Amino acid sequence: MKTFVVLMGAPGAGKGTQAKKLEAALGLPQVATGDLFRANLKNNTELGQLARTYMDKGELVPDEVTVAMVRDRLSKPDCEQGAILDGFPRTTAQAEALDTLLGDFSAKIAVVPFINVNQDLLVERLVKRAEIEGRADDNVETIRVRMQVYHSETAPLLDYYDKKGLLVKINGEQTIEQVTADLTEVVRNVM
């Protein structure tokens, strides 16, 4: 059975960290749109050049660009049994595109864990990450824009997936290990 997991949470909730831990525990590859964007940027592809103009301003990359990158990645052999989607979808339109894309692969979303974290803690985490990693996309100005964009465009996905019976809330303010344990249990229950 193919297991596709959509890992949700605001910027700074720990999606990337937890997706890597789930990948190691369950053998499902992490498909992070941030990584896809960075690879396209590094290779200076046409999609990468287009994505850069949006990412530098802290805005979302247009759906057609993101969906094209995700479709290409999910067609790789390591995704035959499923994947952990980290950072995609971000809008209801992308969620609908993902449903269509997975249908083309004779698959569907198994579960949508939502790592729930208080906004003040999220901002604190993002500022600290920017200092440690020197991430250009995590400066103070873009953090504000990203939070506004998340709340206006991505947060409605919680309702979208809740209505489908796929959303499972995870307390993201626990230790990293406890969040990992909770997430692993949720995903194993649908595998």
Side-chain angles (χ1 to χ4, degrees):
M1 180 175 137
K2 297 178 182 182
T3 305
F4 286 92
V5 176
V6 173
L7 191 55
M8 294 207 54
K15 294 182 305 297
T17 297
Q18 293 300 331
K20 283 178 180 54
K21 291 183 175 293
L22 281 175
E23 179 179 47
L26 304 172
L28 295 173
Q30 172 192 18
V31 175
T33 50
D35 292 344
L36 293 176
F37 292 144
R38 283 185 279 279
N40 278 277
L41 291 168
K42 181 180 177 184
N43 296 324
N44 206 30
T45 66
E46 185 177 330
L47 289 174
Q49 291 172 13
L50 184 57
R52 180 184 306 280
T53 64
Y54 295 91
M55 292 172 70
D56 286 349
K57 295 184 280 187
E59 296 176 2
L60 296 177
V61 174
D63 291 347
E64 60 273 8
V65 176
T66 305
V67 171
M69 288 182 191
V70 171
R71 176 179 290 280
D72 179 63
R73 179 63 185 93
L74 294 182
S75 70
K76 304 294 186 219
D78 66 329
C79 292
E80 279 183 14
Q81 296 306 309
I84 300 156
L85 297 166
D86 168 12
F88 182 84
R90 291 187 185 229
T91 64
T92 304
Q94 286 183 359
E96 292 165 351
L98 177 60
D99 290 341
T100 300
L101 187 159
L102 290 178
D104 292 346
F105 294 127
S106 300
K108 62 182 181 175
I109 297 165
V111 67
V112 180
F114 168 57
I115 303 172
N116 193 16
V117 180
N118 171 288
Q119 183 160 328
D120 290 338
L121 182 55
L122 292 171
V123 172
E124 181 182 315
R125 286 179 180 180
L126 288 171
V127 169
K128 183 181 281 186
R129 182 172 77 181
E131 292 169 359
I132 292 170
E133 298 179 8
R135 290 176 60 142
D137 61 336
D138 275 347
N139 62 54
V140 175
E141 296 79 25
T142 58
I143 287 171
R144 287 191 196 117
V145 171
R146 289 173 67 200
M147 288 298 181
Q148 290 171 346
V149 169
Y150 172 77
H151 287 293
S152 66
E153 296 186 23
T154 306
L157 281 177
L158 299 177
D159 289 333
Y160 177 85
Y161 285 122
D162 193 31
K163 288 176 182 168
K164 290 179 170 257
L166 296 171
L167 189 72
V168 177
K169 291 183 181 175
I170 304 290
N171 178 357
E173 296 180 19
Q174 305 174 91
T175 65
I176 291 173
E177 295 75 20
Q178 188 58 53
V179 174
T180 302
D182 290 355
L183 281 169
T184 303
E185 180 181 348
V186 164
V187 177
R188 280 200 171 122
N189 285 338
V190 298
M191 290 182 86

